[in-house]
Amino acid sequence: SAVISQKPSRDICQRGTSLTIQCQVDSQVTMMFWYRQQPGQSLTLIATANQGSEATYESGFVIDKFPISRPNLTFSTLTVSNMSPEDSSIYLCSSSGETQYFGPGTRLLVL
Amino acid sequence: AQKVTQAQTEISVVEKEDVTLDCVYETRDTTYYLFWYKQPPSGELVFLIRRNSFDEQNEISGRYSWNFQKSTSSFNFTITASQVVDSAVYFCALNQAAGNKLTFGGGTRVLVKP
C-alpha cells in the first residue's frame, strides 16, 4: 500500500491569502488526485494531476483558484488562492493504483 | 455518469450491537470497482475494502463483512458486535477502472455508545 504524507496538517489563514499544500507519495504513481471535503460533507474531486501535463479539473473548479503542480511521479502541490471562508475544508490527496490511498488531509480554516 | 447513494446519514447503536450500512450505486460500466473507507474523527481516510464488479463473493474480515449484490447494485457493509472505536463516518465509493478517480457517497456517520 502507498504511504502518503501531506503538509501542512492544518492551518488558519486570513481571507485573501493563498496556501500551498504539499503531497508526497512513497512510490511513483501515474496520477494523483486532490479532493475537498467541506464541513459535514462528502469528498469532492477537485482535479487529477498527471506528471508532465496540466491538471484536469472537475466541473466547478478552475485553475486560477486551485493551481496544481506535479513536478515528478511522487509529488504534487495544490494551492488554494485568494481564500475566502467558504474554502474552509479538509483537502486530501490520493494516489492512483488498484486501490486509492489517501493522505492524512490538510484542515484549512479561513477567517 | 456514476452515482453512489448512502441513504443513512447517521446511525446510533449501543456497543455490541450489529450495524449495517447501505450503499447503492449507479454506473453504465461493466467493469468497475467498489470501495469502503472509514473516516475517524481525526479526519484521515482509512481504506477498508476494494471489490471488483466480477467478484460477487461476500467477504469477512474480523468483525467486518461486506455483501455485494450486483442484481440490486448494492454493496452493504456490516459491523458485527460494534465497539466504541467503530465510531466514524463511513464512505462507499466507486470508480470505473483501477486507478481512476473515485465517486463517493454522502457518507454514514456511525455513533457507537458504550
Side-chain angles (χ1 to χ4, degrees):
Chain A
S1 63
V3 176
I4 302 175
S5 59
Q6 282 184 239
K7 287 195 295 187
S9 58
R10 58 179 64 232
D11 208 340
I12 301 173
C13 300
Q14 295 298 318
R15 183 195 298 260
T17 62
S18 297
L19 175 72
T20 295
I21 303 168
Q22 300 178 7
C23 180
Q24 179 77 51
V25 188
D26 69 343
S27 58
Q28 293 185 341
V29 293
T30 307
M31 293 181 285
M32 294 176 72
F33 304 95
W34 286 98
Y35 292 84
R36 180 177 74 180
Q37 186 179 23
Q38 295 177 300
Q41 302 296 313
S42 185
L43 284 79
T44 301
L45 182 66
I46 298 172
T48 303
N50 296 299
Q51 196 266 337
S53 63
E54 280 204 0
T56 303
Y57 289 82
E58 298 298 304
S59 175
F61 298 95
V62 295
I63 188 171
D64 289 346
K65 175 67 176 178
F66 297 101
I68 287 171
S69 78
R70 183 81 198 277
N72 57 53
L73 291 174
T74 64
F75 187 79
S76 177
T77 67
L78 169 76
T79 299
V80 186
S81 303
N82 188 24
M83 289 184 285
S84 67
E86 292 70 36
D87 294 319
S88 297
S89 299
I90 300 175
Y91 292 86
L92 299 105
C93 67
S94 70
S95 63
S96 63
E98 285 193 346
T99 296
Q100 276 193 33
Y101 294 96
F102 285 79
T106 296
R107 289 181 182 270
L108 172 61
L109 176 62
V110 184
L111 302 177
Chain B
Q2 301 177 44
K3 185 178 179 181
V4 178
T5 302
Q6 295 179 253
Q8 306 145 308
T9 55
E10 186 165 325
I11 301 175
S12 182
V13 298
V14 177
E15 211 170 13
K16 298 184 183 177
E17 287 184 345
D18 298 348
V19 55
T20 294
L21 311 181
D22 298 332
C23 173
V24 175
Y25 62 91
E26 297 175 28
T27 181
R28 293 179 182 169
D29 299 303
T30 54
T31 302
Y32 52 89
Y33 298 83
L34 295 161
F35 301 80
W36 276 96
Y37 290 88
K38 174 183 180 179
Q39 188 176 44
S42 52
E44 77 272 23
L45 217 58
V46 178
F47 165 75
L48 295 178
I49 190 170
R50 169 182 176 268
R51 172 68 73 225
N52 75 53
S53 53
F54 296 108
D55 182 3
E56 288 194 68
Q57 207 169 18
N58 292 329
E59 181 155 340
I60 298 175
S61 176
R63 295 183 298 106
Y64 295 169
S65 62
W66 291 270
N67 183 297
F68 176 28
Q69 293 201 349
K70 211 168 176 178
S71 59
T72 56
S73 298
S74 66
F75 187 42
N76 297 336
F77 172 33
T78 297
I79 304 172
T80 302
S82 60
Q83 300 176 1
V84 173
V85 293
D86 296 325
S87 296
V89 180
Y90 292 85
F91 291 99
C92 181
L94 164 74
N95 73 10
Q96 64 186 74
N100 210 332
K101 58 187 179 182
L102 288 168
T103 299
F104 282 86
T108 299
R109 181 178 300 277
V110 174
L111 177 61
V112 181
K113 300 176 183 176

